[in-house]
Amino acid sequence: MLFVKDMFVLLVAVEALLIMILEMFGTQTKMARKAFDLSKGYLATKEAKSSMANQGLYNGFIGVGLLYARYGLSGGASYHVQILFVGFVVLAAAFGSLTANKKIIFTQGSPAIVALFLLIFVH
């Protein structure tokens, strides 16, 4: 069960890093339009590019923070920091699904919710 927990935490970290890449460097792609359900015209605006890059940077922080918590820390510190960062993703997914796009709770939230559950109950 510890292996499954670690895989879900890793999945959340990798997903955050992939979102970072898409938001910071891939906003003009078809993949970004589909993933974020935004128009090509909107994503081409200076404001959208700036906002997406900023959001991407924060997603990168989440991904790196989770990787550091899992592989750079040990013991209680590792556990608590993983809970913190996975919890951030769950909260962001819930907020995003309420304010931006309902599918966020499934696409970004589901792996994080499972990871949080496993972190709490497998610890």
Side-chain angles (χ1 to χ4, degrees), residues 105-122:
I105 197 67
F106 300 107
T107 57
Q108 194 173 4
S110 295
I113 291 166
V114 171
L116 186 60
F117 175 83
L118 290 169
L119 278 164
I120 292 169
F121 293 105
V122 175

Side-chain angles (χ1 to χ4, degrees), residues 4-16:
V4 174
K5 172 195 59 90
D6 286 343
M7 288 299 100
F8 269 93
V9 170
L10 183 61
L11 174 64
V12 174
V14 169
E15 183 180 39

Side-chain angles (χ1 to χ4, degrees), residues 34-76:
K34 184 177 178 184
F36 305 124
D37 198 22
L38 297 170
S39 72
K40 185 176 185 176
Y42 174 76
L43 288 172
T45 66
K46 181 181 176 188
E47 293 84 1
K49 289 178 187 177
S50 176
S51 290
M52 296 293 282
N54 193 322
Q55 288 173 203
L57 186 62
Y58 283 95
N59 272 298
F61 293 154
I62 294 289
V64 170
L66 274 171
L67 292 175
Y68 176 69
R70 175 60 191 92
Y71 300 105
L73 298 174
S74 60

Side-chain angles (χ1 to χ4, degrees), residues 79-121:
Y79 171 74
H80 291 292
V81 175
Q82 287 179 71
I83 289 282
L84 178 70
F85 278 95
V86 171
F88 286 159
V89 175
V90 170
L91 291 173
F95 184 78
S97 72
L98 292 172
T99 61
N101 189 324
K102 294 194 184 320
K103 73 179 182 178
I104 293 172
I105 197 67
F106 300 107
T107 57
Q108 194 173 4
S110 295
I113 291 166
V114 171
L116 186 60
F117 175 83
L118 290 169
L119 278 164
I120 292 169
F121 293 105

